[in-house]
């Protein structure tokens, strides 16, 4: 995504004044009589999100008023200014006064300028912003560019984003930052001992694969990212009903967000050794599809009984996590669009995360809040672990009962990671169902900005 920031000196930039219900009377007084009359004629009341463009005496745009919440409001949306690119005409603007958080406001401005334009000319707004004082515009550009990579990958429909295209996208990121790249494709997955990735992906004419990217100095601590890359999830033989299948092009959202995070890390040259693993498959229906009650070995050695072919994400992540764990990373992070239960519990905007490392949990929660990239901790609740028991195998991929679905998924994955590994798991949604400021409808970058902050604090 091209930068929206105007870094050359532009004295003519149109000022945007942020107003709240309580600051509005004073600001109104300070306006010229014409502008005040214009605001009154428009019944402008500084409601959060409301925008008024004030003409000057020459009829040109002189100033913009934009409502935000008062400082003591029950909820302040720090991304509110992210709706401005969709409201303002083409031009160059600057903040005349400080919104609650100028950095997040400018970031929201950049994130709110995104439109998905692969199949028709994007109505991407041409609204540029002079970076507020003290804000690192180059950093915001890097974050927004990576976030929009994740959005583009998720928004691209499955016919143009199969396992092979996802591999090509990952390779492009690798080449851009000089990372090493490899991939294990098709039956080679069996030879290299990835039976679960193969089982899930084998029914598709679009060959399953395990994508790998490596970057950074071998002397630095190793951080490994694993992302669920289900390029379409029909549910397999336990087929999804049409309403549930509709959005399943987004089922590679974990992979997209892991790539976004990897790009942020590489672009900022953090002092870590980065490994990215993306099991990429299509969960399809065909004569050779894996079936309910099939039993498969796994890379870790545990045998897995298939309770439901629609619980496929945890299967491919299980093999990838086992591989990731073999070289003992200092930090192992996985994310994926794993359960509908996560959305039922916390809604689409607040993905749950899981870890047994208390210091890591506190850092994740703090970074998520600071970056307005919300995440909420849920427990690896050991008493539910027995729900994964199978009568014929080490464990079952889909506990019956349907209680605590996001937790039991996390517990399933935990079996494939050594207890000594510092491990973080995120069950993301990767989608904005209806547009919010700074968050256009469609594919969304979730958790990557929060985790980038965490990694830059630890390895900056
Ligand atoms: N990709 C889905 C989860 C999903 C569904 C995420 C809707 C976001 C929105 C996943 O593969 C899945 O189907 N999970 C099942 C698990 C169940 C069969 C144990 C689910 O959540 O119903
Ligand atoms: Mn599924
Ligand atoms: Zn899925």
């Amino acid at each position: 995504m091209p930068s929206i920031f105007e870094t050359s000196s532009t004295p003519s930039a149109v000022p945007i004044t942020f107003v709240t219900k309580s600051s509005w009377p004073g600001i109104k007084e300070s306006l010229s009589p014409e502008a005040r009359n214009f605001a009154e004629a428009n019944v402008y009341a500084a409601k959060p999100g409301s925008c008024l463009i004030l003409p000057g005496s020459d009829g040109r745009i002189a100033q913009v008023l934009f409502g935000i919440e008062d400082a003591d409001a029950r909820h302040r949306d720090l991304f509110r200014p992210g709706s401005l690119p969709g409201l303002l005409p083409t031009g160059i603007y600057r903040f005349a006064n400080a919104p609650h958080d100028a950095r997040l406001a400018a970031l929201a401005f950049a994130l709110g300028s995104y439109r998905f334009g692969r199949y028709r000319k994007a109505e991407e707004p041409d609204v540029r912003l002079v970076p507020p004082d003290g804000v690192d515009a180059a950093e915001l550009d890097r974050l927004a560019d990576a976030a929009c990579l994740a959005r583009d990958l998720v928004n691209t429909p499955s016919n143009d984003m199969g396992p092979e295209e996802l591999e090509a996208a990952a390779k492009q990121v690798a080449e851009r930052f000089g990372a090493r790249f490899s991939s294990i494709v098709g039956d080679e997955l069996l030879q290299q001992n990835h039976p679960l990735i193969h089982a899930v992906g084998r029914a598709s004419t679009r060959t399953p694969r395990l994508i790998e990217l490596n970057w950074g100095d071998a002397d630095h601590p190793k951080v490994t990212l694993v992302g669920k890359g289900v390029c379409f999830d029909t549910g397999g033989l336990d087929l999804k009903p049409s309403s549930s299948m509709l959005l399943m092009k987004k089922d590679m959202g974990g992979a997209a967000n892991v790539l976004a995070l990897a790009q942020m890390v590489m672009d900022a040259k953090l002092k870590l050794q980065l490994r990215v693993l993306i099991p990429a498959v299509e969960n399809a229906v065909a004569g050779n599809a894996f079936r309910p009650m099939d039993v498969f070995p796994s890379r870790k050695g545990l045998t897995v009984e298939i309770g439901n072919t629609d619980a496929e994400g945890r299967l491919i992540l299980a093999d990838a996590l086992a591989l990731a764990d073999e070289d003992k990373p200092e930090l192992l992070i996985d994310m994926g669009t794993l359960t509908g239960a996560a959305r039922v519990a916390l809604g689409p905007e607040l993905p749950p995360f899981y870890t047994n490392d208390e210091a890591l949990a506190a850092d994740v929660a703090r970074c998520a809040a600071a970056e307005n990239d919300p995440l909420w901790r849920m427990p690896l609740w050991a008493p539910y672990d027995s729900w994964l028991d199978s009568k014929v195998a080490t464990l079952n991929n889909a506990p019956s009962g349907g209680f605590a679905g996001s937790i039991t998924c996390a517990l399933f994955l935990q079996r494939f990671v050594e207890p000594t590994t510092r491990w973080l798991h995120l069950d993301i949604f990767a989608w904005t169902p209806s547009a919010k400021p700074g968050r256009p409808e469609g594919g969304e970058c979730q958790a990557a900005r929060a985790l980038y902050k965490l990694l830059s604090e630890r390895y900056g």
Side-chain angles (χ1 to χ4, degrees):
M1 176 182 167
S3 174
I4 60 124
F5 295 111
E6 184 65 50
T7 42
S8 59
S9 136
T10 41
S12 61
V14 176
I16 300 170
T17 302
F18 295 101
V19 281
T20 68
K21 284 239 172 64
S22 56
S23 74
W24 173 227
I27 289 175
K28 192 157 110 181
E29 276 315 299
S30 71
L31 297 176
S32 69
E34 293 88 348
R36 200 180 319 138
N37 286 341
F38 189 84
E40 263 165 15
N42 280 277
V43 205
Y44 188 70
K47 278 219 289 270
S50 68
C51 182
L52 185 69
I53 299 171
L54 293 176
S57 53
D58 56 0
R60 289 174 208 254
I61 296 176
Q63 188 182 356
V64 173
L65 301 174
F66 185 71
I68 57 175
E69 289 87 354
D70 265 306
D72 60 356
R74 194 158 42 87
H75 168 64
R76 286 183 307 169
D77 183 352
L78 300 181
F79 268 11
R80 271 243 180 260
S83 61
L84 279 165
L87 297 170
L88 297 175
T90 298
I92 303 173
Y93 298 84
R94 65 180 172 86
F95 293 170
N97 60 352
H100 299 303
D101 183 319
R103 178 180 168 274
L104 286 180
L107 175 62
F109 213 93
L111 294 173
S113 301
Y114 170 86
R115 301 290 180 269
F116 179 57
R118 178 163 171 153
Y119 300 97
R120 62 176 188 202
K121 201 176 141 2
E123 312 87 87
E124 208 167 284
D126 187 10
V127 173
R128 301 180 61 75
L129 181 69
V130 177
D133 285 345
V135 167
D136 181 350
E139 188 218 18
L140 298 187
D141 276 334
R142 293 198 302 271
L143 297 179
D145 188 61
C148 294
L149 166 72
R151 289 169 170 179
D152 274 342
L153 294 175
V154 173
N155 283 331
T156 301
S158 188
N159 61 311
D160 283 330
M161 190 48 66
E164 194 177 339
E165 289 88 354
L166 184 56
E167 175 179 334
K171 191 168 187 204
Q172 213 179 342
V173 173
E175 280 168 359
R176 178 167 163 196
F177 297 99
R180 278 165 291 137
F181 185 84
S182 64
S183 120
I184 304 169
V185 182
D187 287 346
E188 184 68 15
L189 286 166
L190 291 175
Q191 273 113 54
Q192 305 252 352
N193 197 21
H194 291 287
L196 291 175
I197 300 173
H198 185 271
V200 173
R202 72 188 187 193
S204 174
T205 52
R206 307 198 289 175
T207 328
R209 59 203 68 210
L210 178 58
I211 299 161
E212 174 161 1
L213 181 160
N214 281 279
W215 174 89
D217 195 327
D219 298 334
H220 290 150
K222 182 162 217 164
V223 174
T224 301
L225 312 177
V226 181
K228 169 177 170 180
V230 174
C231 293
F232 194 79
D233 183 9
T234 66
L237 289 172
D238 285 345
L239 199 68
K240 285 182 184 295
S242 54
S243 59
S244 309
M245 202 189 295
L246 188 63
L247 266 184
M248 284 299 122
K249 71 171 183 179
K250 80 174 172 79
D251 216 18
M252 32 58 73
N257 278 284
V258 151
L259 283 175
L261 175 55
Q263 176 170 316
M264 291 174 194
V265 164
M266 295 188 291
D267 212 355
K269 302 190 177 62
L270 295 190
K271 295 184 189 63
L272 55 83
Q273 197 193 147
L274 182 68
R275 186 183 196 194
V276 177
L277 292 169
I278 295 174
V281 302
E282 178 175 8
N283 189 17
V285 176
N288 64 339
F290 74 128
R291 312 162 189 85
M293 288 202 143
D294 277 356
V295 177
F296 294 97
S298 66
R299 181 173 191 89
K300 186 88 179 151
L302 316 178
T303 56
V304 181
E305 182 185 22
I306 306 304
N308 192 316
T309 61
D310 201 6
E312 83 297 337
R314 66 194 72 183
L315 296 172
I316 64 170
L317 287 184
D319 275 352
L321 280 170
L323 172 67
D325 207 13
E326 285 163 18
D327 64 2
K328 297 277 151 249
E330 176 172 300
L331 178 58
L332 175 54
I333 301 175
D334 79 80
M335 49 177 132
T337 49
L338 283 152
T339 70
R343 174 200 50 187
V344 172
L346 299 178
E349 298 168 24
L350 186 59
F353 72 90
Y354 298 83
T355 180
N356 274 339
D357 184 310
E358 296 300 320
L360 179 61
D363 280 354
V364 171
R366 179 177 48 77
C367 292
E371 291 300 293
N372 199 24
D373 188 9
L375 298 169
W376 200 261
R377 189 183 188 186
M378 299 234 290
L380 289 157
W381 190 250
Y384 296 164
D385 196 67
S386 62
W387 295 0
L388 298 168
D389 289 351
S390 157
K391 293 197 172 101
V392 298
T394 322
L395 72 175
N396 190 296
N397 78 329
S400 56
F403 293 126
S406 179
I407 294 177
T408 53
C409 177
L411 291 170
F412 179 93
L413 295 174
Q414 190 180 28
R415 299 277 195 107
F416 295 85
V417 179
E418 288 300 311
T420 48
T421 303
R422 187 175 295 124
W423 172 59
L424 172 69
H425 160 63
L426 301 108
D427 194 346
I428 64 173
F429 195 63
W431 190 264
T432 298
S434 62
K436 295 192 57 188
R439 307 182 201 271
E441 181 178 328
E444 189 51 292
C445 179
Q446 281 183 332
R449 287 186 298 106
L451 295 177
Y452 168 73
K453 178 172 169 63
L454 178 121
L455 294 179
S456 60
E457 284 181 5
R458 293 188 172 202
Y459 310 104

